[in-house]
Amino acid sequence: MDLSEIRLNPEQKLAVDTLNGPLLIIAGAGSGKTGVITSRIANMLNHGIPQSQILAMTFTNKAAKEMEARVKSLTGKKLTNLTISTFHAFGVKILREHYVDMGFRPNFSIYDTGDKISCLKEAARELKLKYENPELMELANMFAAIKTERQPWDNTIDQHKPLYKEYEEHMRIYNAVDFDDLIVLPIHLMEEHSDILEKYQNRFRYIMVDEFQDTSSIQYRFLHLMAEKYRNICCVGDDDQSIYSWRGANYGNILQFEKDYPELIEIKLERNYRSTGTILKAANAVIANNTNRKLKELWTEMSHNEMTIKHTLPDDDKDEGDFIASTIASLRMKEHMKYDQFGILIRTNSLSKAIEDALLSSNIPYTMSGGTSFFQRAEIRDIISYLRVINNPDDDVNLLRIINTPRRGIGKRALETLIDESQRHSQSLYSTMTSLLFSADSELSTKLRNGIAEIVDLVEDFKDRFKEAGALAATGVELVEEINYWEYLLQEHASNDKVAKWKNDNIIMFMDFMSRWEKNPDNLEPSLQKWLNRITLVTRDDTDDNEAGKVNLMTIHASKGLEFDVVFLAGVEKDIIPHERAIAEDPANVEEERRLFYVAITRARKKLYITSCLKRRQMREMIDSSPSPFLDEIPLELMEAMEIEEEVEDPKEAEQYFARLPWK
């Protein structure tokens, strides 16, 4: 394989050619780091380094698969002995080889979060302790922090030690490990068995780590153990993109790496192949305000038509969503863009509601990642399922979701009997329930008959109510009240009524969406079926993209590593970014919040739109908002105030609009 065919800039080439000894590659956003990593692995193979001696570590299965595919494409070889893996998958590999040394039996289980909570609940029951699910989740997170040495035991939490020990004992009995064990146990194994440590050191003499700034302290310890003998370790990362401290990431590992390997070579990749010069100047200006960072400045030679960053001040989150949707529709038509060229980034999942509604209203297909779509939240899906069954009672899937939500005394056995009966007669579950209810010789218990009657009467009643023209949302509100969903939420979240209120507010918002839709003059003869068809666009679980793809709506955290021709940063407001809670916990968190904003800016290739609402809905109130202080860090000449295109009939109203804009 001739690597001379691969176009590399001087810094990239130096990184690819430096094969031995410790190497630190500071790879700025859009600097082509994946190409450097894969080319470097290919160059190792070119220089006769056996593939079995190379270990490349990253954080996601997707990244590992992409890296592996690119190396195979470069070399044209199958490379069956090359190890490109996530940290956790590599930990599994070690445990599978040494389960006996760790005291496990063959075929041990790996518990996910749900399994872990169930085991914790059982351990608590053994100690005659009772916790609600949210409390168990908090304890699980605390135990994970203790296990991975991010938090020590102290007198404020020592009372939980018996539960921690009982949980660990249960895991041993069940021959199971959790995800934290996949890193912690291999470390203990190597530290306690020098022969096993040496075995892995000799096997993997060349180690590469991608996204190094995202490694935790314990993951760094794992890497340092493995690399200590031969010291051929290459770490690739960018401290300016370290945004995961809440899950243990420690960008200080870059400084620790420099201390542990003083002989290292450091290479900075600052040439950007992604964004326009305007976007890079803005990103550089923002991140320069952080103090604890490696000095670097992204630059580009690309000749894009330069445009300023557009900033607009919508009146509220509804106007914000409408602006984003209309701008996407306009750009798609004028510039023949595909939907998947657009990215909408939000700081928190709660900002998605109005944006989703606007996309839906404009028939713009989208996918939500890094959080739960508003229409996929449990409480919204419950109400949608009711509406689907009222519209089509023979919909067994949705009927099964709501039949005991809220509870109606139709137990598991009774439900199994009803399902068997419906299958025996080749009819829907609802038809079976109706037949049994009105059959003179059915042997239903009084409790079961009452439960079935309740659901059948409800469906039949609301079928008629929803046929009344112009009353969809009002009837939806009546439905929610009829089933006592608020009482159900209070029972389900007895330990935290704030959660119940938040979920209830989501339902109110959902009904508001329905109301606005049915009152839209463009909707001729609005009906329940048409509304359900409309929201099917986002509530179905298919993954087939049409030719033009889908708009990407995601949290900023989820956007890391991605890029889009056009990016919308929504909700760039005080207390949202930087986030109020993060700053309240520790004012020093402002630097990570700034890194998050930097990541968001650098996702954009050609166009960047920033929105800051003047008012934003929080729970049931409209709260005054103001632009994020981070916007003051972007040079004025790079920003342009953008008017929201709307008809303004009153000249005074127009003057008031322009008076609000900070740039003229």
Side-chain angles (χ1 to χ4, degrees):
M1 176 191 58
D2 186 5
L3 283 176
S4 63
E5 296 176 8
I6 301 173
R7 295 179 64 183
L8 300 169
N9 65 41
E11 292 77 22
Q12 289 175 331
K13 189 173 188 313
L14 178 59
V16 167
D17 290 340
T18 305
L19 303 183
N20 294 297
L23 175 64
L24 177 61
I25 302 173
I26 303 296
S31 61
K33 73 176 176 65
T34 305
V36 168
I37 292 170
T38 51
S39 297
R40 189 172 184 273
I41 293 172
N43 199 28
M44 287 181 186
L45 298 172
N46 250 11
H47 280 75
I49 295 172
Q51 56 181 281
S52 60
Q53 289 186 5
I54 300 171
L55 170 64
M57 303 279 268
T58 187
F59 278 85
T60 67
N61 290 319
K62 181 181 177 183
K65 286 177 182 176
E66 181 188 348
M67 202 182 294
E68 184 176 356
R70 288 178 69 164
V71 175
K72 287 179 178 178
S73 176
L74 277 174
T75 60
K77 298 177 181 177
K78 292 183 178 180
L79 302 176
T80 53
N81 292 321
L82 178 66
T83 303
I84 299 178
S85 171
T86 65
F87 278 90
H88 291 96
F90 187 66
V92 172
K93 179 184 177 73
I94 292 174
L95 292 182
R96 295 244 185 260
E97 291 180 1
H98 294 280
Y99 64 87
V100 174
D101 299 290
M102 299 302 300
F104 289 102
R105 303 183 296 281
N107 302 319
F108 57 84
S109 300
I110 301 170
Y111 277 8
D112 62 15
T113 302
D115 297 327
K116 185 176 179 178
I117 295 297
S118 296
C119 184
L120 200 52
K121 186 183 288 185
E122 196 169 320
R125 196 180 298 123
E126 194 76 25
L127 296 175
K128 295 184 169 45
L129 300 171
K130 189 174 181 181
Y131 297 100
E132 298 291 335
N133 274 354
E135 295 174 297
L136 287 170
M137 184 61 76
E138 283 183 23
L139 286 168
N141 291 335
M142 183 182 74
F143 290 167
I146 288 167
K147 187 180 287 190
T148 55
E149 300 175 10
R150 287 182 284 128
Q151 178 178 349
W153 288 106
D154 61 39
N155 55 17
T156 64
I157 58 173
D158 278 348
Q159 70 269 27
H160 298 299
K161 272 187 179 180
L163 179 59
Y164 179 80
K165 290 176 181 175
E166 189 70 27
Y167 165 72
E168 289 290 284
E169 185 59 30
H170 272 65
M171 295 288 281
R172 286 284 178 188
I173 293 169
Y174 296 150
N175 197 38
V177 295
D178 58 31
F179 276 98
D180 298 312
D181 289 325
L182 300 180
I183 306 297
V184 173
L185 292 180
I187 290 174
H188 292 169
L189 181 73
M190 291 178 181
E191 288 179 339
E192 293 167 10
H193 300 271
S194 58
D195 56 326
I196 294 175
L197 171 60
E198 191 168 7
K199 166 188 161 182
Y200 285 104
Q201 288 175 334
N202 289 335
R203 183 187 297 181
F204 298 107
R205 302 186 183 202
Y206 293 84
I207 298 172
M208 291 192 68
V209 191
D210 189 18
E211 303 289 5
F212 183 55
Q213 77 282 345
D214 292 338
T215 54
S216 65
S217 297
I218 202 148
Q219 286 168 332
Y220 178 77
R221 189 163 132 207
F222 189 16
L223 292 168
H224 186 47
L225 273 171
M226 294 275 294
E228 200 169 11
K229 183 174 181 180
Y230 292 98
R231 303 177 78 79
N232 296 318
I233 179 168
C234 170
C235 295
V236 186
D238 180 7
D239 53 335
D240 287 339
Q241 296 186 71
S242 180
I243 58 174
Y244 295 113
S245 66
W246 47 275
R247 69 182 189 196
N250 181 7
Y251 75 96
N253 285 343
I254 293 176
L255 298 177
Q256 189 61 47
F257 185 67
E258 291 174 328
K259 290 178 184 175
D260 290 336
Y261 301 91
E263 75 274 29
L264 68 76
I265 294 172
E266 180 181 306
I267 300 170
K268 290 181 183 177
L269 305 182
E270 296 171 286
R271 180 174 175 180
N272 178 282
Y273 294 89
R274 174 189 298 158
S275 305
T276 67
T278 298
I279 291 168
L280 294 183
K281 286 174 189 174
N284 286 332
V286 167
I287 203 64
N289 289 279
N290 273 8
T291 54
N292 299 315
R293 62 183 293 261
K294 288 270 186 184
L295 290 178
K296 72 182 89 54
E297 186 157 332
L298 300 180
W299 61 278
T300 183
E301 285 186 348
M302 288 192 295
S303 56
H304 287 305
N305 291 325
E306 289 288 312
M307 66 163 275
T308 52
I309 295 165
K310 309 292 186 185
H311 180 240
T312 190
L313 298 163
D315 281 333
D316 56 27
D317 40 358
K318 179 187 179 299
D319 285 348
E320 179 180 55
D322 290 343
F323 165 75
I324 292 170
S326 63
T327 306
I328 289 172
S330 175
L331 288 172
R332 188 167 180 267
M333 181 178 67
K334 292 176 183 175
E335 302 187 20
H336 308 290
M337 298 180 71
K338 294 182 179 180
Y339 283 125
D340 57 14
Q341 291 175 277
F342 297 92
I344 306 170
L345 310 187
I346 51 180
R347 173 63 180 86
T348 63
N349 195 31
S350 62
L351 299 177
S352 76
K353 298 177 191 176
I355 296 171
E356 289 189 72
D357 182 52
L359 296 173
L360 201 54
S361 297
S362 302
N363 293 317
I364 295 174
Y366 71 92
T367 181
M368 175 83 185
S369 57
T372 306
S373 164
F374 177 73
F375 294 95
Q376 288 291 346
R377 292 174 186 174
E379 62 276 12
I380 303 301
R381 290 183 66 189
D382 284 345
I383 303 306
I384 290 174
S385 289
Y386 268 101
L387 297 175
R388 290 196 189 285
V389 171
I390 289 165
N391 181 64
N392 173 23
D394 294 324
D395 183 340
D396 281 3
V397 171
N398 283 291
L399 178 58
L400 285 169
R401 180 180 180 92
I402 65 167
I403 199 166
N404 262 327
T405 306
R407 293 173 183 81
R408 295 186 173 85
I410 302 175
K412 185 180 177 184
R413 259 183 214 175
L415 196 53
E416 287 173 350
T417 301
L418 291 172
I419 292 170
D420 290 343
E421 187 74 8
S422 71
Q423 291 175 344
R424 191 160 63 86
H425 291 284
S426 299
Q427 60 186 15
S428 72
L429 184 58
Y430 187 82
S431 296
T432 299
M433 289 165 61
T434 307
S435 299
L436 289 172
L437 188 61
F438 296 107
S439 172
D441 58 352
S442 69
E443 298 180 356
L444 296 176
S445 67
T446 303
K447 186 178 180 182
L448 180 56
R449 179 179 291 276
N450 290 341
I452 292 175
E454 184 183 332
I455 193 79
V456 170
D457 289 347
L458 182 87
V459 170
E460 296 302 320
D461 180 25
F462 276 90
K463 274 169 69 176
D464 295 333
R465 292 202 214 179
F466 272 108
K467 287 177 183 175
E468 296 177 20
L472 290 182
T475 308
V477 172
E478 291 171 8
L479 171 66
V480 174
E481 291 173 351
E482 186 83 17
I483 62 176
N484 284 324
Y485 198 80
W486 168 239
E487 293 297 324
Y488 166 73
L489 288 175
L490 285 175
Q491 290 169 11
E492 289 294 297
H493 304 281
S495 64
N496 191 348
D497 62 356
K498 286 185 179 178
V499 174
K501 288 175 183 173
W502 182 77
K503 288 178 176 288
N504 194 58
D505 282 336
N506 284 341
I507 293 169
I508 292 170
M509 177 78 78
F510 177 72
M511 292 304 168
D512 187 43
F513 291 166
M514 187 190 287
S515 176
R516 292 210 300 269
W517 177 80
E518 70 173 318
K519 290 175 183 175
N520 188 328
D522 293 335
N523 290 324
L524 302 175
E525 299 180 11
S527 67
L528 179 59
Q529 182 168 358
K530 287 180 181 177
W531 165 255
L532 290 171
N533 288 343
R534 175 178 179 258
I535 61 177
T536 295
L537 177 69
V538 291
T539 55
R540 64 183 177 179
D541 290 326
D542 68 334
T543 55
D544 296 330
D545 287 347
N546 59 31
E547 186 180 351
K550 296 180 181 179
V551 170
N552 299 271
L553 171 60
M554 60 183 61
T555 61
I556 300 173
H557 282 99
S559 73
K560 190 164 169 295
L562 303 177
E563 59 185 66
F564 305 99
D565 283 344
V566 180
V567 165
F568 295 87
L569 301 188
V572 183
E573 296 153 30
K574 182 185 175 186
D575 295 337
I576 292 179
I577 184 164
H579 199 278
E580 182 180 28
R581 189 169 62 238
I583 303 305
E585 288 174 359
D586 184 354
N589 286 338
V590 70
E591 296 223 341
E592 178 154 339
E593 290 291 304
R594 187 178 283 110
R595 290 196 292 269
L596 196 59
F597 188 53
Y598 171 84
V599 165
I601 292 172
T602 54
R603 299 311 95 196
R605 295 183 65 238
K606 298 177 181 177
K607 299 178 190 290
L608 177 60
Y609 295 86
I610 296 175
T611 57
S612 308
C613 291
L614 298 173
K615 292 182 183 294
R616 184 170 294 279
R617 184 182 296 277
Q618 289 185 10
M619 305 297 277
R620 299 179 197 179
E621 296 182 64
M622 293 300 289
I623 307 295
D624 287 339
S625 299
S626 58
S628 166
F630 288 158
L631 291 174
D632 294 334
E633 299 174 358
I634 298 176
L636 282 174
E637 66 270 17
L638 303 178
M639 298 277 282
E640 178 185 348
M642 184 177 181
E643 177 186 356
I644 295 180
E645 294 181 5
E646 56 184 357
E647 293 183 8
V648 180
E649 297 178 0
D650 185 349
K652 289 184 179 179
E653 186 182 341
E655 289 175 14
Q656 289 170 356
Y657 177 84
F658 283 107
R660 295 199 301 253
L661 299 174
W663 300 280
K664 298 178 184 179

